[in-house]
Amino acid sequence: MKDLTSSKLKLAFLLLIAFVPITLATFAFRAATESGGFGGDTVNKGHLILPPADITDLAMSDADGAPLFSSFEEFVATLESEEEYEAQPWLMVYVNAGACDEACEERVFYLRQLHITLGKNVERVRRYYLHAASAPMAQETVDHFREEFPSMGVAYSSAGQLQQNLTANGVEIDLSNDSYVFFIDPVGNVMMYYDGSHTTEDIKTDLDRLLRHSSLG
């Protein structure tokens, strides 16, 4: 038991080394963008979440209701050695609480195109569509996503629970009137979001900067 505890502590310490740079990078990103540090007079396009929320606040589950993500601490606890740890990707999660109408389909399409343009960084990011509506996703939409966007994960959540969790973190969103795109870093920090007023180019500009200034994921 003592050896197991020691191993867990060692693993947690090693993974903390990975965690700290990403967390610091989030704050550095804010400071640099607000001061124009990334060049010119540009600033971040999206809304920064400081301190970040946790990926579990999005309450993402699979079609059977099983949670898709745990907290970083819970994830670490499942590993027996540092060799088992694999770098996780950044996540770009599109949250929609209604039927996926024409505007929704257009957003999903352009997020895929954005992903493709990442080139060598394409494997560092994974896309998700998060269905947060009370009604089941239409089978037509399920089939469309499976056929046209096979690399995009599909997850499910409760709009009410998601909004309540984010409100507790100081993030006010209104899923009844808008959809959102969230960035989540490789250790589960929900650190930036975009509403319907943001263009795909806005999202790409920030994502390019984040990937350029992060050594992980």
Side-chain angles (χ1 to χ4, degrees):
M1 178 64 71
K2 183 177 180 180
D3 289 342
L4 180 59
T5 300
S6 176
S7 177
K8 291 289 187 182
L9 289 174
K10 178 182 177 183
L11 178 61
F13 175 74
L14 290 173
L15 294 183
L16 182 63
I17 296 174
F19 172 81
V20 170
I22 297 176
T23 302
L24 292 179
T26 300
F27 286 90
F29 179 81
R30 180 190 188 190
T33 52
E34 289 182 346
S35 65
F38 286 117
D41 297 323
T42 59
V43 296
N44 54 288
K45 308 295 185 179
H47 303 291
L48 282 162
I49 303 174
L50 291 174
D54 189 79
I55 191 170
T56 55
D57 291 322
L58 300 185
M60 298 171 67
S61 65
D62 63 20
D64 297 321
L68 283 176
F69 298 99
S70 59
S71 68
F72 185 69
E73 292 78 10
E74 291 169 333
F75 172 64
V76 168
T78 67
L79 304 179
E80 294 300 330
S81 69
E82 59 269 23
E83 286 77 17
E84 291 184 19
Y85 178 72
E86 296 182 1
Q88 302 301 300
W90 288 80
L91 300 181
M92 182 166 56
V93 180
Y94 175 50
V95 185
N96 182 41
C100 193
D101 56 16
E102 183 177 349
C104 164
E105 290 185 2
E106 183 177 87
R107 189 68 139 179
V108 171
F109 172 79
Y110 281 112
L111 288 175
R112 181 187 66 179
Q113 299 310 103
L114 179 164
H115 195 186
I116 292 171
T117 66
L118 294 178
K120 66 180 182 179
N121 285 321
V122 69
E123 297 297 329
R124 297 178 65 191
V125 178
R126 186 172 185 202
R127 303 184 331 276
Y128 269 93
Y129 178 89
L130 182 54
H131 180 74
S134 55
M137 187 185 298
Q139 188 59 46
E140 180 181 0
T141 301
V142 174
D143 295 340
H144 176 66
F145 284 172
R146 184 181 296 120
E147 179 179 350
E148 298 295 329
F149 309 102
S151 65
M152 179 181 73
V154 176
Y156 302 84
S157 186
S158 160
Q161 185 63 56
L162 190 158
Q163 290 184 147
Q164 180 179 329
N165 292 345
L166 291 179
T167 296
N169 285 276
V171 180
E172 297 291 344
I173 62 173
D174 182 7
L175 283 167
S176 64
N177 291 306
D178 207 349
S179 57
Y180 300 84
V181 175
F182 287 87
F183 283 170
I184 303 167
D185 73 20
V187 293
N189 289 314
V190 184
M191 46 81 63
M192 189 175 288
Y193 73 97
Y194 305 79
D195 57 39
S197 69
H198 292 96
T199 66
T200 306
E201 187 59 35
D202 291 335
I203 299 171
K204 184 179 187 306
T205 296
D206 285 348
L207 183 57
D208 282 341
R209 288 173 181 162
L210 284 169
L211 294 177
R212 187 165 62 249
H213 290 274
S214 170
S215 61
L216 299 176

